[in-house]
């Protein structure tokens, strides 16, 4: 692998002239009693001052090492006065709440929900993420409870949004784009998501119609903000599935802060509960850190680092799967030889500088480097027996195969290696001019990928080799066949590919009035130029432009209602995986997939049972051209690397959120989706992610007489995906679906220590929070399937689809603590 050397310090050399003035800074967001930002608040001391902007944000410089009285004043609210005596270059964050009747100002957490509501972004509280139960708990687990977001594998962190696939989702951490491994083919191999929920302070999610400042993907944006510590703290989470811990702190002068997290994950509890008996030794671990140093009140430098080691060692032994009907039960009994050894190691580092040039202009510079080294090695021989099951109650052989319909074998082999290095250098700017806000950015990306694909599959039935589906069928064993014996599938390729990208955006937004109604407007455009080159590859360059816009209107009604219209042209220039076809060949001429996206949304806030609720509804339509068709098997996506299809998607998303139980947030969601594609003008068929109906519920409760005893319920129902056919089959001949996906996870916890139950003595004194609990995954023990294994009988010419079931009911215990 070639290395790319870039002295990142050169990106920040021009900041060396910044002067260390003897001043201090106070900044924050001013809120009203309902935690909504207040604009136009006067923040003054002596004859100096500033005014909070449309987002309620203010920044005020004051003299250091002397007492200063600051006054917060706003029409209709009580004035607030506070005294400060700060050190030189100290940056103090204060988020005051101005009240109508009282002058007391408690410190609050910034929510900014009103602005996200205007922009059509769903905000999720990190505390809900950390507490909610799930087989793969974390941000992605909670996203799957939202309308329009689907995922049919509880061991996977991947999710599909409104008919898109897993590769169509953007993920940012502190404005830095992050990536996932390339070769992973099943959820149980994935291990850990990049996002560490222990470090998270804010989660924003947009399911479509997002602004031009976000990148070039077709489906969604997940925007994560890691916490900036204000004091020392630590956390610990232990369970039968692994462990995680974090520690954070800040220096005495407030200029340096850091947070560090480490995680370990072991899926043995789930894998060993499945129908395949295995020797399973996974090692999923990562370490992350986010560090910030304030050189002055106007310039700071941050570092985001991640090291992830995922080793998947899998040795199947036996498997028995019962299927069929009550009157005709069938069983597949498999004996395995061989093993699989996979490894996915990723290394990520990013530097981000923020320079507040003036009260109106902020500049940011980001440089990141991502490397992944992946291997996928396996040799597994599966010898199977297919037959009728003994159903005689009381028989010693109940459930065993007593009459064989067919026997056969399958040998799978792979030696796949991938080494990828991705470099990003980016500059962003934000300029505020009165009521207008202008944002822009430019980014250079270099992707250097070395890839070796070597895999084959050999299938036989009673000693007769099954030929690939591209060959004419034969009549074995009744007629001799003298053609050469070839593998059922065989892929061999070696690629050395480089992709250079230059992308940029510019957007404008304005918050104003239309009569007595509030109006917010946003318009922008993105441009993306990329060149694909490499060994034995003809260099190809392409460019696309993507205009986008949003409009939000809040009428001056008694009802708190807001209307949104957004959309535009969205392009997704191909990543390496999209350039590689089913034979492993890289096709540099693959075009960017294009989607014209329109979203109309409505937010209605109201009171029910004297508590606040919000009903979010969105209808959307996508028209896609230059579509790159693909097959989806578990979480593995295989593209055709052509642009020979058109597609569409439309649907309705509904979400009702609020305090169904006082003091807790829960929600109900419903989604309807229809998405189809037309390949080579053969007519429209279901796309692989056509998840027609989706119901989700996230519910929190507690026992009234024992308020420390809490309950968390995560429930999902999805109709079946098109995936019941072999991945190699012609999709126009196979349009079968998997069974519906139904899952409910339940968690119970008892709070021993929290903010209201702090201990003054004893071994619990150091704890700020201490909780013990139990979890039941898949409480109804529903047999969900993710794919089918196809077993062929050479005599009867019958092909049986045997479902590959996901995890059954599993019990877990969990302990969480904060210090």
């Amino acid at each position: 692998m070639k290395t790319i050397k870039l002295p990142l310090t050169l990106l920040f050399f021009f900041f060396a002239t910044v002067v260390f003035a003897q001043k201090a800074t106070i900044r924050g967001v001013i809120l009203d009693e309902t935690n909504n930002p207040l604009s136009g608040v006067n923040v003054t001391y002596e004859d100096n001052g500033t005014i909070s902007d449309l987002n309620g944000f203010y920044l005020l410089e004051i003299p250091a090492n002397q007492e200063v009285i600051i006054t917060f004043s706003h029409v209709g609210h009580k004035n607030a006065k506070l005294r400060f005596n700060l050190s030189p270059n100290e940056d103090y964050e204060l988020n005051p709440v101005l009240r109508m009747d009282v002058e007391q100002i408690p410190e609050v957490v910034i929510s900014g929900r009103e602005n996200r509501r205007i922009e059509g972004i769903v905000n999720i509280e990190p505390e809900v993420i950390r507490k909610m139960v799930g087989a793969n708990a974390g941000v992605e687990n909670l996203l799957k409870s939202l309308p329009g977001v689907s995922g049919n594998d509880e061991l996977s962190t991947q999710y599909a949004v409104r008919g898109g696939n897993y590769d169509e989702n953007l993920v940012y951490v502190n404005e830095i784009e992050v990536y996932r491994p390339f070769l992973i083919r099943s959820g149980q191999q994935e291990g850990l998501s990049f996002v560490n929920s222990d470090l998270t302070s804010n989660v924003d999610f947009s399911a479509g119609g997002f602004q031009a400042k976000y990148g070039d993907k077709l489906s969604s944006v997940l925007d994560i903000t890691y916490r900036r510590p204000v004091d020392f703290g630590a956390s610990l989470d232990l369970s039968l599935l692994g462990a995680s811990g974090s520690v954070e702190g800040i220096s005495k002068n407030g200029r340096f802060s850091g947070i560090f997290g480490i995680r370990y994950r072991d899926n043995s509890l789930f894998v060993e509960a499945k129908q395949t008996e295995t020797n399973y030794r996974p090692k999923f671990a990562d370490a992350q850190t986010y560090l910030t140093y304030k050189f002055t009140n106007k310039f700071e430098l941050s570092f985001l680092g991640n090291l992830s080691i995922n080793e998947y060692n899998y040795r199947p032994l036996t498997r028995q799967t019962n299927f069929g009907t009550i009157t005709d039960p069938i069983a597949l009994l498999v004996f395995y030889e061989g093993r699989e050894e996979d490894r996915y190691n990723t290394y990520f580092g990013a530097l981000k500088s923020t320079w507040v040039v003036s009260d109106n202009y902020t500049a940011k510079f980001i440089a990141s480097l991502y490397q992944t080294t992946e291997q996928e090695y396996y040799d597994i021989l599966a010898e199977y027996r297919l037959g009728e099951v003994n159903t005689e109650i009381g028989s010693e052989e109940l459930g065993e195969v007593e009459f064989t319909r067919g026997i056969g074998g399958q040998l799978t082999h792979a030696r796949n290696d991938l080494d990828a290095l991705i470099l990003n250098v980016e500059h962003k700017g934000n300029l505020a001019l009165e009521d207008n806000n202008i944002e822009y950015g430019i980014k250079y990306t270099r992707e250097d990928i070395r890839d070796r694909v070597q895999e084959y599959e050999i299938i036989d039935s009673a000693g007769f080799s099954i030929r690939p589906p591209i060959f004419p069928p034969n009549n074995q064993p009744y007629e001799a066949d003298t053609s050469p014996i070839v593998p059922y599938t065989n892929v061999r390729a070696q690629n050395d590919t480089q992709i250079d990208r230059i992308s940029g955006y510019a957007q404008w937004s304005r918050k104003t009035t239309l009569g007595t109604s509030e109006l917010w407007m946003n318009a922008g455009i993105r441009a993306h130029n990329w060149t694909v080159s490499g060994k034995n590859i003809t260099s190809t360059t392409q460019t696309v432009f993507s205009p986008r816009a949003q409009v939000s209107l809040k009428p001056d009604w008694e009802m708190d209602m807001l209307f949104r219209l957004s959309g535009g042209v969205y392009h997704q220039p191909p990543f390496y995986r999209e350039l590689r076809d089913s034979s492993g060949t890289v096709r540099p001429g693959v075009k960017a997939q294009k989607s014209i996206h329109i979203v109309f949304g409505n937010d209605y806030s109201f009171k029910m049972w004297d508590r606040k609720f919000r009903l979010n509804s969105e209808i959307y339509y996508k028209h896609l051209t230059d579509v790159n068709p693909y097959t989806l098997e578990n979480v593995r996506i295989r593209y055709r690397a052509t642009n020979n299809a058109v597609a569409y998607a439309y649907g309705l998303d509904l979400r009702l959120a609020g305090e169904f139980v006082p003091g807790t947030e829960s929600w109900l969601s419903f989604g309807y989706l229809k998405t189809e594609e037309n390949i080579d003008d053969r007519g429209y068929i279901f796309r692989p992610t056509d998840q027609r109906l989706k119901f989700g519920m996230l519910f929190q409760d507690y026992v009234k007489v024992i308020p420390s005893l809490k309950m968390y319920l995560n429930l999902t129902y999805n109709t079946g995906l098109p995936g019941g056919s072999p991945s190699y089959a012609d999709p126009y001949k196979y349009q079968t679906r998997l069974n519906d996906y139904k899952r409910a996870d339940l968690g119970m916890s008892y709070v021993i220590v929290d903010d209201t139950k702090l201990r003054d003595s004893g071994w619990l004194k150091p704890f700020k929070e201490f909780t013990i609990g139990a979890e039941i995954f898949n409480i109804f023990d529903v047999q969900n399937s993710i794919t089918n294994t196809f077993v062929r009988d050479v005599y009867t010419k019958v092909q049986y689809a045997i479902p590959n079931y996901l995890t059954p009911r599993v019990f877990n215990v969990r302990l969480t603590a904060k210090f």
Side-chain angles (χ1 to χ4, degrees):
M1 185 69 186
K2 288 189 282 188
T3 58
I4 298 177
K5 296 182 179 179
L6 182 67
L8 297 178
T9 53
L10 292 178
L11 296 173
F12 312 102
F13 73 97
F14 42 85
F15 296 115
T17 58
V18 178
V19 178
F20 289 75
Q22 294 297 305
K23 289 191 174 184
T25 302
I26 298 176
R27 69 171 76 201
V29 173
I30 305 172
L31 306 168
D32 62 16
E33 291 177 294
T34 59
N35 278 357
N36 289 318
L38 271 178
S39 61
V41 178
N42 292 302
V43 186
T44 59
Y45 77 93
E46 298 177 352
D47 295 328
N48 303 292
T50 186
I51 298 176
S52 64
D53 64 13
L54 296 174
N55 300 318
F57 178 80
Y58 73 96
L59 185 148
L60 180 67
E61 284 193 343
I62 63 173
N65 292 328
Q66 70 180 66
E67 187 174 277
V68 175
I69 299 176
I70 296 179
T71 302
F72 298 84
S73 60
H74 186 262
V75 176
H77 292 81
K78 292 284 187 180
N79 290 352
K81 293 185 179 182
L82 292 173
R83 297 176 183 271
F84 294 90
N85 193 333
L86 303 181
S87 303
N89 292 319
E90 184 175 352
D91 193 343
Y92 187 86
E93 181 176 330
L94 176 69
N95 306 305
V97 176
L98 297 188
R99 301 185 181 276
M100 303 287 291
D101 53 350
V102 225
E103 292 192 27
Q104 180 184 0
I105 303 179
E107 188 170 333
V108 299
V109 177
I110 302 174
S111 68
R113 287 188 173 183
E114 190 64 25
N115 290 326
R116 299 184 184 98
R117 182 187 182 196
I118 289 172
E119 298 175 9
I121 292 174
V122 176
N123 178 256
I124 302 174
E125 294 293 339
E127 202 58 34
V128 178
I129 297 170
R130 286 187 277 270
K131 292 180 178 179
M132 190 49 57
V133 62
N136 211 335
V139 174
E140 295 85 357
N141 174 57
L142 214 59
L143 288 182
K144 294 176 185 179
S145 68
L146 299 177
V149 183
S150 61
N152 281 28
D153 187 347
E154 57 270 9
L155 294 182
S156 171
T157 60
Q158 304 309 314
Y159 53 91
V161 179
R162 293 180 177 175
N165 66 35
Y166 309 138
D167 292 336
E168 297 178 13
N169 304 313
L170 285 162
V171 180
Y172 293 96
V173 174
N174 289 60
E175 300 183 276
I176 301 164
E177 186 174 359
V178 297
Y179 304 88
R180 71 184 185 100
F182 290 71
L183 295 182
I184 289 174
R185 66 175 66 205
S186 72
Q188 68 188 38
Q189 298 173 358
E190 276 191 38
L192 296 161
S193 159
F194 184 96
V195 181
N196 187 333
S197 56
D198 290 339
L199 313 185
T200 301
S201 67
N202 189 70
V203 178
D204 290 337
F205 179 74
S206 173
F210 44 85
Q211 300 174 27
K213 67 180 180 181
Y214 295 113
D216 296 290
K217 297 281 188 178
L218 296 182
S219 291
S220 73
V221 173
L222 176 62
D223 193 3
I224 304 291
T225 303
Y226 275 2
R227 190 165 59 252
R228 181 175 296 187
V230 295
D231 200 355
F232 174 80
S235 69
L236 182 66
D237 191 321
L238 302 174
S239 78
L240 298 179
L241 295 173
S244 67
S246 69
V247 62
E248 60 188 84
I250 187 170
S251 63
K252 289 184 178 180
N253 60 8
R255 291 168 64 180
F256 177 76
S257 64
I259 186 167
F260 174 79
I262 187 168
R263 297 179 292 174
Y264 173 77
R265 171 85 178 180
D266 185 343
N267 283 335
S268 299
L269 192 66
F270 292 108
V271 175
E272 292 175 357
K274 298 172 78 170
Q275 292 182 333
T276 302
E277 183 183 347
T278 68
N279 285 331
Y280 180 65
R281 297 182 305 277
K283 294 179 182 178
F284 303 140
D286 83 338
Q288 290 191 35
T289 187
Y290 182 63
L291 309 173
T292 302
Y293 187 81
K294 296 179 63 63
F295 289 88
T296 70
N297 292 328
K298 294 189 175 182
F299 175 64
E300 68 179 26
L301 186 64
S302 302
F303 172 76
L304 174 65
N306 176 72
L307 169 63
S308 178
I309 299 174
N310 299 305
E311 294 183 1
Y312 175 81
N313 297 319
Y314 181 73
R315 185 181 179 186
L317 300 175
T318 62
R319 165 186 174 180
Q320 179 169 339
T321 302
N322 297 332
F323 63 104
T325 64
I326 296 177
T327 57
D328 185 23
I330 305 174
L332 174 70
L333 184 60
V334 186
F335 297 91
Y336 294 98
E337 295 181 33
R339 61 182 178 178
E340 179 174 355
E341 293 184 356
D342 301 335
R343 178 175 294 180
Y344 313 96
N345 294 343
T346 61
Y347 313 90
F348 181 82
L351 283 174
K352 174 186 172 184
S353 69
T354 303
W355 184 20
V356 182
V357 181
S358 66
D359 291 342
N360 300 325
Y361 177 63
T362 301
K364 299 176 182 179
F365 296 84
I366 301 171
S368 68
L369 194 63
Y370 171 84
Q371 183 176 20
T372 178
T373 57
E374 306 176 23
Q375 74 169 38
E376 189 179 44
Y377 292 176
Y378 57 81
D379 287 284
I380 297 178
L381 172 63
E383 298 172 310
Y384 68 85
R385 179 186 175 195
L386 184 70
E388 297 178 3
V389 180
N390 185 322
T391 58
E392 184 180 346
I393 298 176
S395 171
E396 293 182 359
E397 298 179 348
L398 178 66
E400 296 184 6
V401 177
E402 62 178 11
F403 176 76
T404 301
R405 292 186 179 184
I407 60 174
Q410 177 183 17
L411 173 64
T412 55
H413 164 91
R415 293 294 185 273
N416 299 331
D417 292 281
L418 184 139
D419 191 352
L421 186 68
I422 302 175
L423 168 72
N424 290 288
V425 179
E426 183 177 11
H427 164 58
K428 293 181 177 181
N430 189 317
L431 178 64
L433 298 174
E434 297 181 349
D435 294 333
N436 301 283
N437 192 55
I438 298 172
E439 297 175 77
Y440 70 90
I442 186 168
K443 180 179 181 180
Y444 169 74
T445 302
R446 168 78 173 185
E447 300 163 10
D448 191 350
I449 299 166
R450 313 296 173 86
D451 179 28
R452 182 189 71 171
V453 185
Q454 180 180 307
E455 58 183 62
Y456 63 77
E457 178 183 18
I458 299 173
I459 301 174
D460 82 2
S461 179
F464 295 91
S465 179
I466 306 295
R467 304 205 308 166
I470 60 173
F471 282 56
N474 56 37
N475 196 27
Q476 291 187 74
Y478 305 106
E479 295 180 8
D481 184 69
T482 58
S483 59
I485 297 177
V486 294
Y488 193 77
T489 60
N490 186 20
V491 180
R492 291 177 180 270
Q494 191 160 340
N495 301 310
D496 182 351
T497 309
Q498 291 78 46
I499 307 175
D500 293 282
R501 305 178 189 271
I502 298 178
S503 60
Y505 69 89
Q507 68 175 42
W508 160 85
S509 59
R510 178 182 174 89
K511 196 172 184 180
T512 182
T513 57
L514 182 63
T516 58
S517 302
E518 297 180 20
L519 179 68
W520 180 81
M521 299 173 289
N522 174 275
I525 188 170
R526 288 192 65 88
H528 194 126
N529 171 276
W530 73 98
T531 300
V532 180
S533 60
K535 187 176 180 180
N536 300 322
I537 295 176
T538 302
S539 181
T540 305
T541 301
Q542 300 181 61
T543 304
V544 293
F545 297 91
S546 305
R548 307 172 189 178
Q550 292 181 322
V551 177
S552 294
L553 180 68
K554 190 176 187 302
D556 185 19
W557 296 346
E558 276 191 30
M559 294 184 296
D560 184 3
M561 194 168 284
L562 182 141
F563 299 92
R564 286 188 311 272
L565 180 65
S566 61
V569 179
Y570 293 79
H571 285 94
Q572 182 164 317
F575 206 51
Y576 174 74
R577 195 205 312 268
E578 296 158 81
L579 296 172
R580 196 181 74 177
D581 65 14
S582 57
S583 68
T585 304
V586 172
R587 300 181 179 273
V590 175
K591 299 178 183 178
Q593 299 183 84
K594 178 182 177 182
S595 174
I596 298 175
H597 198 172
I598 299 174
V599 182
F600 178 73
N602 171 255
D603 283 1
Y604 174 39
S605 295
F606 59 96
K607 280 196 172 184
M608 184 167 61
W609 309 317
D610 290 326
R611 298 191 290 273
K612 290 184 178 181
F613 286 83
R614 177 169 292 171
L615 176 64
N616 306 101
S617 57
E618 286 190 340
I619 57 174
Y620 58 89
Y621 178 80
K622 299 180 186 180
H623 176 69
L624 297 99
T625 54
D626 293 326
V627 173
N628 189 348
Y630 62 90
T631 60
L632 180 61
E633 185 176 4
N634 205 311
V635 298
R636 186 187 196 186
I637 299 175
R638 286 180 169 177
Y639 292 92
R640 294 192 179 183
T642 58
N643 299 100
N644 61 331
V646 294
Y648 69 85
Y650 64 81
L652 167 69
D653 287 347
L654 299 173
R655 177 173 173 257
L656 176 64
E659 294 186 16
F660 291 90
V661 176
T664 65
E665 183 180 17
S666 304
W667 61 72
L668 301 170
S669 61
F670 165 78
Y672 171 79
L673 163 72
K674 184 176 182 180
T675 180
E676 294 184 323
E677 62 187 2
N678 183 350
I679 304 173
D680 290 328
D681 205 23
R682 297 174 64 187
Y684 281 93
I685 58 173
F686 303 133
R687 301 196 79 195
T689 52
D690 182 40
Q691 191 93 65
R692 193 58 55 89
L693 292 176
K694 188 268 175 69
F695 296 91
M697 181 174 73
L698 184 144
F699 189 70
Q700 302 183 69
D701 199 359
Y702 56 87
V703 179
K704 288 187 177 181
V705 294
I706 314 175
S708 296
L709 184 60
K710 302 180 184 296
M711 184 273 286
Y712 306 94
L713 177 65
N714 193 352
L715 187 148
T716 301
Y717 170 82
N718 298 329
T719 53
L721 284 170
S725 59
S727 60
Y728 52 80
D730 183 349
Y732 280 85
K733 294 181 180 179
Y734 292 85
Q735 280 289 283
T736 56
R737 287 179 178 264
L738 297 167
N739 292 331
D740 294 353
Y741 180 85
K742 295 162 282 188
R743 186 175 180 88
D745 297 326
L746 176 68
M748 301 288 292
S749 66
Y750 184 78
V751 180
I752 299 174
V753 178
D754 64 6
D755 292 340
T756 63
K757 300 171 62 177
L758 295 175
R759 304 301 175 92
D760 295 329
S761 60
W763 66 275
L764 290 173
K765 182 179 179 181
F767 293 95
K768 296 179 181 177
E769 181 180 306
F770 190 84
T771 303
I772 57 173
E775 299 172 331
I776 308 175
F777 305 116
N778 194 3
I779 57 177
F780 300 115
D781 201 21
V782 178
Q783 286 190 318
N784 296 305
S785 60
I786 186 65
T787 54
N788 286 327
T789 295
F790 292 88
V791 175
R792 305 153 187 85
D793 181 0
V794 73
Y795 285 99
T796 63
K797 307 299 183 185
V798 174
Q799 180 170 261
Y800 296 93
I802 291 87
N804 295 315
Y805 291 119
L806 291 165
T807 59
R809 183 190 296 119
V810 173
F811 296 87
N812 183 37
V813 292
R814 186 178 179 187
L815 181 149
T816 60
K818 289 184 179 179
F819 306 90

